[in-house]
Amino acid sequence: MNEQPKSDRPTTRRTFLRNGARIAAMTGLGALAGVVANRSTAEGWVWQIDPQKCLRCGNCATKCVLEQSAVKCVHAFAMCGYCNLCTGYFEPEPNALTTAAENQLCPTGAIQRSFIEDPYYEYKIDEQLCIGCAKCVEGCSRFGNGSLFLQIRHDRCVHCNECAIARTCPGDAFRRVPASQPYLLKTTHAH
Amino acid sequence: MKREFQLASRRKFFSQTAGAMAILGAIALQRGQAAEKAATNPFAYDVSHLQKTDPKLITYEETARWKAPHAEAKRIAIGPEDTLYLCSGNYLTARNRSGDRGLEIALAEPSRCCAVEKDGTIYLGLRDHIEVFDAKGQRKATWDSPGKKSWITGMATTENEVYAADAGNRVILRYDKSGKLVRRIGEKDKERNIPGFIIPSPFFDVEVSRDGLLRVNNPGRHRMELYTADGDFEGSWGSASMGIKGFCGCCNPINLALLPDGRFVTCEKGLPRVKVYRTDGQFESVVAGVESFVANGKACGPSDCTAGGLDAAVDAQGRIYILDLVTGDVRVMKHRA
Ligand code: SF4
Ligand code: SF4
Ligand code: SF4
């Protein structure tokens, strides 16, 4: 049951995935690690969410001390199936697989869907709009590849001594991590 | 541009939009009003209504149930005299209608799928090649592997051909009975208007109807496709939806069977359910819904989307045999009078 076919994706898709991994390694993660290193606590530890433990309870949107939660949805593109029917993007029973508001699951319309090549679509999070509610994370985890997940964004987090969300987290998903490695990212799915 | 992980700049966080502010206002209200109601999730992803099937839609009833003889059950097929052939573990096992065990072939590797002729000849799909056995279980031939990446997950036979669904190469392979590869069917070809198969997980199936056309699931496109034996694309039907009439999740349907009159029996994972569609693709009824496969529904998740799933086979009387890949149960389903 664990064995899987090693099917090739179309060349163009393979190429963009490969490019994606390289760009992420060079920019986003490295840059953010730098940010947190400068802003972290004296002990050099910061709060983070273990995505494997998160139960998608909704508290991350409502319990943070900040007006707009420091928790955001993060997308592991390398794990994503680039599905036409993205269960993190669409309502369970959408009228049509279009970007019309009534078809979207996200309460703030924070997920952008764009066509890549037949039949693949890319989904990006607009972090200005994301409130960290985890609705999309639940949809993707239940019926998709689990490529959407929550992380505390350390360029936003004010590093409370005791994280207000951690106090209520039913999944016990919060833990301290070294400021030099502030993210607990999901790794590539075995597809 | 693709990135492995998408994390926006700090500046972006502080340039808040009106939409986000409106939502934040709503959250503030929620905080005030419902601070004590921590157990309720205003952002719940509610699919509870999909976990229960409208009883009016269920037109089959279970008449018997037994266990697959070995763990890691994969596929079932019907052979002569409605004998059921089960691929489970490193075995192919035959069972009669009442579930009594008959022929069993032990293999060096897991059996994945099979198709059985009227005379009892068995074409058995192993991961990357096909083996042929006679009705007594004697190995008659081992065919060359179609390629390194092959992952054979479905098979069908006709009088002169053997078809294999190769999930690894996303192609239907047409062989003659001697094992000669005659044609590759369904590979993406713009000139022939062939869309290509999208197989995100190793579930790919083929059946041949009495009209001679191949029925093939294209799970990444959430539909069923029809091909001629020469590989011409004749059409498709199906839609992506969690709703009962559609195919749910990232890749469904995963397996199929055909009723004696050509109607389709489809199997899904994620929301495990078995349904019947008319020959024109119109949804007709449910054989067994999500509530019948509780363990199966929990098995399929992001950590292993190859877990879970169902298979179905149909006997000459139209009874539907459902194999639950998680529990190993085989259910015999009869149309309600
Ligand atoms: S509070 Fe915990 S369980 Fe709830 S969404 Fe946040 S990390 Fe997940
Ligand atoms: S559904 Fe919630 S967590 Fe997902 S992008 Fe929208 S606001 Fe963010
Ligand atoms: S530490 Fe404070 S600011 Fe950071 S996520 Fe937790 S509650 Fe929000």
Side-chain angles (χ1 to χ4, degrees):
Chain A
M1 296 287 281
N2 291 326
E3 295 161 288
Q4 299 175 53
K6 306 238 179 328
S7 67
D8 270 354
R9 304 280 195 195
T11 306
T12 48
R13 186 160 178 259
R14 256 200 336 262
T15 309
F16 77 60
L17 286 172
R18 201 168 49 231
N19 288 345
R22 194 172 62 235
I23 290 160
M26 289 191 304
T27 59
L29 303 183
L32 279 165
V35 168
V36 74
N38 291 333
R39 303 181 68 231
S40 63
T41 56
E43 294 80 18
W45 294 86
V46 292
W47 289 104
Q48 194 46 273
I49 296 165
D50 181 343
Q52 307 297 346
K53 288 184 163 182
C54 171
L55 302 175
R56 289 86 70 177
C57 73
N59 281 356
C60 277
T62 57
K63 304 289 186 208
C64 179
V65 297
L66 297 175
E67 194 64 18
Q68 185 180 11
S69 177
V71 176
K72 300 288 165 191
C73 180
V74 172
H75 198 182
F77 286 108
M79 290 173 67
C80 181
Y82 291 82
C83 309
N84 183 14
L85 173 60
C86 170
T87 49
Y89 180 83
F90 286 111
E91 281 285 355
E93 292 178 89
N95 295 328
L97 300 188
T98 69
T99 55
E102 72 266 20
N103 297 327
Q104 294 185 34
L105 187 67
C106 176
T108 65
I111 309 178
Q112 294 164 350
R113 166 179 155 102
S114 47
F115 178 73
I116 300 289
E117 66 175 34
D118 179 46
Y120 299 114
Y121 288 79
E122 184 190 66
Y123 299 90
K124 279 189 193 163
I125 309 299
D126 180 343
E127 293 189 340
Q128 290 178 69
L129 296 176
C130 177
I131 56 171
C133 75
K135 200 171 183 182
C136 62
V137 179
E138 176 71 359
C140 181
S141 301
R142 293 265 307 262
F143 300 110
N145 288 5
S147 56
L148 297 171
F149 60 102
L150 296 182
Q151 288 286 277
I152 296 175
R153 284 297 309 270
H154 292 295
D155 46 355
R156 173 125 178 114
C157 177
V158 295
H159 305 296
C160 309
N161 225 3
E162 195 182 356
C163 172
I165 317 173
R167 276 208 301 265
T168 64
C169 175
D172 201 17
F174 283 72
R175 61 175 152 112
R176 296 275 199 181
V177 296
S180 56
Q181 289 175 305
Y183 293 100
L184 295 170
L185 300 172
K186 281 190 160 183
T187 49
T188 309
H189 191 267
H191 267 188
Chain B
M1 208 67 235
K2 307 297 163 297
R3 288 171 293 172
E4 189 173 2
F5 294 98
Q6 184 206 343
L7 297 162
S9 72
R10 186 172 185 215
R11 189 160 44 86
K12 262 187 136 185
F13 275 121
F14 295 99
S15 60
Q16 311 228 330
T17 65
M21 289 306 288
I23 294 294
L24 291 172
I27 290 169
L29 195 65
Q30 277 162 5
R31 279 174 171 160
Q33 289 174 338
E36 303 319 314
K37 296 186 205 163
T40 58
N41 179 3
F43 307 106
Y45 178 83
D46 187 10
V47 286
S48 52
H49 64 293
L50 297 171
Q51 307 286 355
K52 191 135 183 55
T53 311
D54 179 351
K56 290 199 289 291
L57 296 176
I58 302 174
T59 55
Y60 281 76
E61 61 193 2
E62 186 177 325
T63 58
R65 188 190 298 199
W66 66 83
K67 283 270 176 212
H70 304 282
E72 299 282 299
K74 294 253 176 356
R75 298 296 314 259
I76 47 175
I78 294 287
E81 292 166 19
D82 286 344
T83 302
L84 193 69
Y85 290 79
L86 281 123
C87 295
S88 58
N90 286 17
Y91 297 90
L92 176 81
T93 312
R95 301 208 138 198
N96 66 20
R97 267 180 223 156
S98 22
D100 300 328
R101 210 149 147 175
L103 171 77
E104 181 160 276
I105 302 171
L107 301 149
E109 60 180 292
S111 63
R112 309 239 159 222
C113 53
C114 69
V116 186
E117 298 267 27
K118 281 188 194 135
D119 69 357
T121 302
I122 300 160
Y123 296 92
L124 181 64
L126 300 161
R127 200 197 76 158
D128 63 354
H129 69 280
I130 292 162
E131 295 187 4
V132 187
F133 295 84
D134 68 15
K136 291 186 176 144
Q138 293 299 310
R139 185 181 281 103
K140 293 291 167 194
T142 298
W143 294 356
D144 289 343
S145 172
K148 267 190 204 156
K149 286 189 288 185
S150 284
W151 198 280
I152 297 167
T153 54
M155 294 193 69
T157 59
T158 63
E159 202 182 332
N160 299 312
E161 289 104 11
V162 176
Y163 293 94
D166 181 347
N169 290 305
R170 298 177 296 178
V171 64
I172 300 295
L173 303 167
R174 175 180 151 193
Y175 292 93
D176 68 15
K177 292 281 169 84
S178 72
K180 185 177 160 216
L181 181 60
V182 178
R183 192 170 290 279
R184 298 169 68 89
I185 296 171
E187 286 173 305
K188 191 171 182 173
D189 185 338
K190 263 192 182 163
E191 280 174 16
R192 291 183 73 192
N193 193 30
I194 296 174
F197 299 116
I198 309 295
I199 319 286
S201 56
F203 295 99
F204 188 33
D205 202 4
V206 56
E207 291 289 341
V208 185
S209 194
R210 283 196 297 200
D211 60 13
L213 292 178
L214 276 59
R215 268 65 171 175
V216 185
N217 63 322
N218 195 341
R221 295 183 190 272
H222 300 94
R223 68 189 196 185
M224 207 65 75
E225 296 183 352
L226 278 68
Y227 291 85
T228 65
D230 289 331
D232 291 324
F233 176 53
E234 293 293 301
S236 66
W237 60 263
S239 63
S241 171
M242 298 284 211
I244 196 72
K245 293 181 182 176
F247 297 122
C248 63
C250 70
C251 41
N252 270 310
I254 53 167
N255 288 316
L256 72 136
L258 295 174
L259 286 158
D261 61 5
R263 283 173 298 146
F264 295 80
V265 178
T266 63
C267 302
E268 287 166 78
K269 67 183 173 76
L271 286 175
R273 51 195 186 188
V274 180
K275 300 181 290 188
V276 174
Y277 288 83
R278 292 193 333 217
T279 49
D280 62 0
Q282 290 296 308
F283 167 77
E284 189 175 288
S285 67
V286 175
V287 181
V290 178
E291 58 281 334
S292 302
F293 310 104
V294 175
N296 200 304
K298 288 179 183 156
C300 179
S303 55
D304 186 359
C305 72
T306 67
L310 302 165
D311 188 25
V314 178
D315 72 11
Q317 276 70 50
R319 282 179 294 246
I320 299 174
Y321 297 74
I322 302 172
L323 172 65
D324 183 325
L325 273 60
V326 172
T327 63
D329 288 333
V330 178
R331 290 170 164 83
V332 185
M333 308 296 292
K334 197 174 141 229
H335 196 269
R336 280 189 188 141

